[in-house]
Each structure stands twice: as structure tokens, then as C-alpha cells.
């Protein structure tokens, strides 16, 4: 690890959350049901039967959480807007009370001297739209553009940085292909349609933001998992390239090259994304920010019908079973610069789940999480030194929160949330991150 501080002045220090994972209050002020409310209510879908009805109660406790952000010395806070709060019917009538919440949130974040980064979709589709076909239908992308317009008109005078979609791969592959995330569908054709319409919705929303928010900076967040072959054999290298295509190139190529990767198109044929004339140009309109969510890599070997994941037994892993590989993060960032040349990169998520235990004195010590973040920040520093245009880093997450199908069992926060009381307890990684940021500023 480097010991010198090499990140440039002006580097953006942040922390991230997402609406469904922290807000709670899911029946308040006119919010409608989302696909995640429905999924949680479906027996056997979410560990322990957990749901988002209370979560961290961020909806009511956000002033306290902004005070914590201030104590950290953050430059920026990434949050997401819940579509079911803003347009409860998916299309049409706007719910002013929902907009008012984000209005207050943005004002208080700014009053704390922190820049808001707004994500427009972090997986909480209004259930009513899913009932009409969800992301498999092109109309959902159009509805997303309408919703974007409503949010942009209300917050655009104060929010400059916008992330249209968070992790389209997870939303489409896990939600429509594997059925392990909401809405729980498992069909290859539906998965490809959902993925395409989510990318299309990004392009349509970007047009709205550029039109309605002067000076808007627009980005899209991808979960990028660099893939490595188990051995140097030709078969394993081909398997690794295919896995990379499904995980990474399928999303990067449309946005940066206006095309889907041909090798994966062939692999999935006859299933195909429903591309209409003009879609790829809409998707590929230039973005200001490539937002990278990085947690781990994948190692694969060739098997008869493609590739299989190979568990790296000798490596350290986090509590959720993800291998800790900061060098893969560095290599990913260099590759993104070399192959896609984004104008700027922001690390909009990086962090680790570990099983935190509250000590008898009430404190939470999490040296493993601290080491994870430190080693990944070191990878960012090395990438910046190598000329990769990374402009910011958002730790995932500010708070322990609802980890989707894993419920509340997995803790990613640098602030511990005692769920029975909702008390916030800054972990030792919180204090370390605060000092690290201050050290860089100094
Ligand atoms: O909690 C999630 C987040 O919502 C999206 N990116 C990955 C995180 C950890 O799984």
C-alpha cells in the first residue's frame, strides 16, 4: 500500500444509501407499494421474512444522519429517490408530499455543506407498473422519463449530480432472469427485455435531465465484477471473456459504443433484447460520469455449456462470501480508462459486510471493514496516479441497512444500526474514514 497521499485536491469524499434500504415509512405520505414491498411479503423470498417497513427509519431520522455525515467531513451524499413516493400510480398524478420529503432532505444536506447526488432508480419500481409488465415493457422506460421530469423540475435547482439507474444488471438479471430479487421472474427473454428497457430509460432520463437541469452532470452506476480465468488455458480464457461479457460488457458497450457485444448476442440467441431503431443512439448519448460500484471479482473455469464460478478458498472473504481483491479493483479502473475512455469515473459504491458485534461498552469495532476500505482506497489512489480520471469515492454504506434478499443480517454500514431501538452507533471504521478524509484535506 502507498503511504503518501496522492489523491487530488477536490477529490469527492462521500457515503451512499438507497431509499428502500433505509427509509422505512413505506405507507406514509401517499407512497404506494413497490415491487420490493411485494417481494418481501412473499413467503420465502427474503431471509427471515424481513421487510422495508421500518428499515433505518431514515424517513424521519435523516437530520440525525446528516449530522453524522457532517461529523465525517463528507463532501457528498448519494441517496435514491423512491418512485412510488413521487408518482404512486407509476404514471400520471404527482404526489407532492413525496416530493416534499426529498426537498427537505436536499435542503438539509446542502445546509450541512454536503453535495447531494441523486439516484433516480435503485430497484423500487411501483408495483402497479410491474402489474402492467414491469421493465419487460417499453412503456416502463417512458414512464421513468416522465417521473424523471417531475423530480428534475423539483430538485434540479439544487441537485447537479444525477445517477439515472443503479446496477441495471442486478435489477434485470437477478429480478427477471434468476428470480432472486424483486419482482422474482425467471425468463431469459424477459431478462433481456428488462435489461434493454432499463438502459433505454437511462438514455431517455438523460435527455430530460439535460433539457430541464442546466449544468446537470449525468451518470449511470454499474456493478462491475472483473472476471479472471482459473488457469491460462484457452478454454478458461474464453470462459472468462464470456462471463465478462454477461456481467460487464453487456452494459458498458451499449452506453460507450452504442452496441451489445456480438459474442454474447450470439450466446443468448434466439433470445434477444427488443432493440428498436434509435434505441442504441439514445442509450449511448455521452455521460458525464461513469459510476462504478465495486465489491469483488469473479474467477471462472470452462464447463460444457459455458463457465462456472470457482471459489477462491485461500483468499479472504467478507461475511456475504465475496472475495476481497483490491488489485482487481485497480485493474478494473485502468481497463475502463483504456477501453471505454469515460470523461470521469466516480466510485459510487464500495464497502464490505462483516458481522459486527456491539461490545459491552456499547462500541462497535470493525477492523476488517476498515482494512477493506483502506485497501480499496489504496487501489483508487494507484489508479489515479496511473492517470485514471476517478473524481470521487462513496463508501457503501453510511448505515447498516436492508440488504435485499439477505434482509438485515448483512451489515455494510460504517454506522451500526441497532434495529430494535434504531440507535445509530458510529463504528471504528467511521472514525477511521473521518480521519482519513481529514488527512487528505490536510
Ligand atoms: O446493498 C447493495 C446496493 O443496494 C447495491 N449495490 C450492492 C450493495 C451490497 O450488496
Amino acid at each position: 500500500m502507498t503511504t503518501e497521499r496522492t489523491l487530488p485536491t477536490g477529490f469527492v469524499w462521500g457515503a451512499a444509501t438507497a431509499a428502500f434500504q433505509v427509509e422505512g415509512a413505506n405507507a406514509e405520505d401517499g407512497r404506494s407499494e413497490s415491487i420490493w414491498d411485494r417481494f418481501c411479503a412473499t413467503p420465502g423470498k427474503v431471509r427471515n421474512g424481513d421487510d422495508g417497513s421500518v428499515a433505518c427509519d431514515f424517513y424521519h431520522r435523516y437530520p440525525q444522519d446528516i449530522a453524522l455525515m457532517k461529523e465525517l467531513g463528507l463532501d457528498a451524499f448519494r441517496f435514491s429517490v423512491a418512485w412510488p413516493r413521487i408518482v404512486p400510480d407509476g404514471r400520471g398524478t404527482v404526489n407532492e408530499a413525496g416530493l416534499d420529503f426529498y426537498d427537505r432532505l436536499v435542503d438539509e444536506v446542502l445546509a450541512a455543506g454536503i453535495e447531494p447526488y441523486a439516484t433516480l432508480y435503485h430497484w423500487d419500481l411501483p408495483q402497479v407498473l410491474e402489474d402492467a409488465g414491469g421493465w419487460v415493457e417499453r412503456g416502463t422506460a417512458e414512464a421513468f422519463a416522465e417521473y424523471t421530469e417531475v423530480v428534475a423540475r423539483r430538485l434540479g435547482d439544487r441537485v447537479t449530480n444525477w445517477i439515472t439507474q443503479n446496477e441495471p444488471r442486478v435489477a434485470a438479471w437477478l429480478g427477471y432472469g434468476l428470480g432472486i430479487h424483486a419482482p422474482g421472474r425467471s425468463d431469459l427473454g424477459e431478462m433481456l427485455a428488462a435489461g434493454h428497457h432499463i438502459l433505454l430509460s437511462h438514455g431517455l432520463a438523460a435527455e430530460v435531465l439535460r433539457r430541464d437541469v442546466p449544468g446537470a452532470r449525468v451518470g449511470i452506476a454499474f456493478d462491475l465484477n472483473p472476471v479472471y480465468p482459473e488457469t491460462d488455458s484457452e478454454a478458461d480464457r474464453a470462459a472468462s471473456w464470456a462471463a465478462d461479457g454477461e456481467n460487464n460488457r453487456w452494459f458498458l458497450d451499449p452506453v460507450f459504443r452504442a452496441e451489445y457485444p456480438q459474442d454474447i448476442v450470439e450466446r443468448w440467441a434466439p433470445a434477444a433484447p427488443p432493440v428498436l431503431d434509435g434505441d442504441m443512439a439514445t442509450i449511448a448519448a455521452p455521460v458525464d460520469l461513469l459510476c462504478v460500484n465495486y465489491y469483488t471479482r469473479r474467477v471462472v473455469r470452462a464447463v460444457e455449456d459455458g463457465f462456472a464460478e470457482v471459489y477462491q478458498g485461500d483468499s479472504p472473504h467478507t461475511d456475504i462470501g465475496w472475495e476481497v481483491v483490491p488489485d482487481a479493483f485497480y485493474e478494473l479502473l485502468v481497463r475502463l480508462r483504456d477501453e471505454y475512455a469515460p470523461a470521469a469515473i466516480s466510485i459510487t459504491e464500495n464497502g464490505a459486510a462483516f458481522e459486527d458485534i456491539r461490545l459491552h461498552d456499547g462500541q462497535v469495532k470493525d477492523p476488517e471493514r476498515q482494512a477493506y476500505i483502506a485497501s480499496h482506497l489504496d487501489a483508487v489512489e494507484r489508479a489515479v496516479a496511473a492517470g485514471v480520471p476517478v473524481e470521487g469515492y462513496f463508501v457503501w454504506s453510511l448505515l447498516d441497512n436492508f440488504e435485499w434478499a439477505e434482509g438485515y443480517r448483512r451489515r455494510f454500514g460504517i454506522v451500526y444500526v441497532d434495529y430494535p431501538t434504531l440507535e445509530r452507533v458510529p463504528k471504528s471504521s467511521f472514525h477511521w474514514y473521518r480521519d482519513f478524509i481529514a488527512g487528505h484535506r490536510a
Side-chain angles (χ1 to χ4, degrees):
M1 266 191 235
T2 54
T3 48
E4 278 179 29
R5 298 281 169 248
T6 52
L7 291 170
T9 317
F11 190 82
V12 177
W13 295 101
T17 63
F20 192 82
Q21 295 180 273
V22 298
E23 285 178 1
N26 59 4
E28 235 169 280
D29 294 336
R31 179 188 179 280
S32 67
E33 186 188 21
S34 77
I35 54 173
W36 269 95
D37 296 296
R38 180 69 63 92
F39 197 67
C40 291
T42 310
K45 295 295 185 192
V46 174
R47 186 189 282 266
N48 199 33
D50 290 347
D51 65 34
S53 53
V54 177
C56 306
D57 196 29
F58 180 83
Y59 193 77
H60 299 111
R61 292 170 199 248
Y62 68 89
Q64 186 185 341
D65 295 328
I66 293 172
L68 288 169
M69 296 174 209
K70 208 170 167 184
E71 191 181 331
L72 274 172
L74 294 189
D75 297 305
F77 171 53
R78 175 180 178 224
F79 65 98
S80 79
V81 178
W83 189 347
R85 290 197 194 282
I86 309 299
V87 192
D89 298 332
R91 296 187 102 146
T93 312
V94 173
N95 177 34
E96 291 299 323
L99 280 171
D100 290 346
F101 168 67
Y102 295 104
D103 218 34
R104 295 192 296 275
L105 175 64
V106 164
D107 280 347
E108 288 218 25
V109 167
L110 285 168
I114 298 168
E115 194 66 31
Y117 278 54
T119 302
L120 286 160
Y121 187 75
H122 201 124
W123 310 347
D124 42 3
L125 184 72
Q127 178 64 40
V128 66
L129 288 179
E130 173 58 25
D131 294 342
W135 286 109
V136 175
E137 293 300 319
R138 195 178 176 86
T140 302
E142 290 155 9
F144 183 73
E146 294 161 14
Y147 148 73
T148 297
E149 179 175 339
V150 172
V151 180
R153 292 208 168 151
R154 185 67 173 268
L155 303 182
D157 57 340
R158 285 153 293 152
V159 176
T160 305
N161 291 283
W162 296 85
I163 298 161
T164 54
Q165 285 284 351
N166 184 69
E167 300 182 3
R169 184 192 74 91
V170 177
W173 280 200
L174 275 60
Y176 290 84
L178 298 172
I180 54 175
H181 270 199
R185 290 157 73 171
S186 323
D187 178 274
L188 179 61
E190 291 188 344
M191 171 186 113
L192 294 179
H196 180 66
H197 292 138
I198 292 173
L199 286 175
L200 179 65
S201 81
H202 151 74
L204 296 174
E207 283 171 10
V208 170
L209 291 164
R210 300 224 184 273
R211 186 193 66 207
D212 290 350
V213 182
R217 300 182 75 226
V218 179
I220 179 165
F222 293 131
D223 62 305
L224 298 174
N225 296 299
V227 186
Y228 293 80
E230 184 189 25
T231 72
D232 205 31
S233 73
E234 203 174 310
D236 282 355
R237 281 190 282 121
S240 155
W241 183 242
D244 177 71
E246 290 189 7
N247 195 131
N248 305 316
R249 290 181 289 121
W250 190 263
F251 297 93
L252 288 162
D253 286 14
V255 169
F256 288 95
R257 298 178 178 163
E259 63 189 15
Y260 285 107
Q262 195 52 35
D263 57 321
I264 307 300
V265 170
E266 284 163 19
R267 201 171 139 70
W268 276 331
V275 181
L276 298 189
D277 270 1
D279 283 5
M280 299 315 287
T282 302
I283 292 170
V287 285
D288 304 294
L289 267 186
L290 168 59
C291 301
V292 175
N293 298 353
Y294 173 84
Y295 292 89
T296 191
R297 69 166 177 175
R298 298 172 67 191
V299 177
V300 300
R301 75 161 61 112
V303 293
E304 204 181 313
D305 56 347
F307 52 83
E309 202 103 12
V310 186
Y311 185 77
Q312 298 302 294
D314 294 337
S315 297
H317 288 76
T318 66
D319 185 38
I320 207 165
W322 296 346
E323 189 189 1
V324 179
V325 202
D327 281 347
F329 189 23
Y330 168 80
E331 287 173 7
L332 166 70
L333 293 172
V334 170
R335 174 192 178 191
L336 291 172
R337 181 211 44 199
D338 292 349
E339 292 182 18
Y340 295 98
I345 293 176
S346 183
I347 311 306
T348 40
E349 286 183 28
N350 177 243
F354 286 107
E355 203 170 342
D356 299 310
I357 299 189
R358 222 174 152 187
L359 305 175
H360 63 277
D361 60 1
Q363 294 188 44
V364 180
K365 300 252 191 288
D366 58 341
E368 291 169 304
R369 181 174 295 102
Q370 175 181 319
Y372 179 99
I373 297 171
S375 61
H376 287 73
L377 277 169
D378 181 69
V380 172
E381 290 198 19
R382 285 187 281 134
V384 170
V388 182
V390 184
E391 63 165 47
Y393 176 92
F394 293 71
V395 70
W396 183 270
S397 174
L398 178 71
L399 303 169
D400 289 338
N401 60 49
F402 176 80
E403 178 55 23
W404 308 111
E406 294 286 318
Y408 293 98
R409 156 104 187 266
R410 310 292 182 197
R411 294 179 176 271
F412 275 90
I414 56 171
V415 175
Y416 181 90
V417 177
D418 180 51
Y419 291 114
T421 62
L422 295 169
E423 185 191 355
R424 274 65 167 148
V425 183
K427 303 178 190 176
S428 52
S429 59
F430 173 100
H431 298 116
W432 174 86
Y433 190 45
R434 176 196 62 193
D435 296 346
F436 190 86
I437 295 172
H440 264 87
R441 292 228 178 84

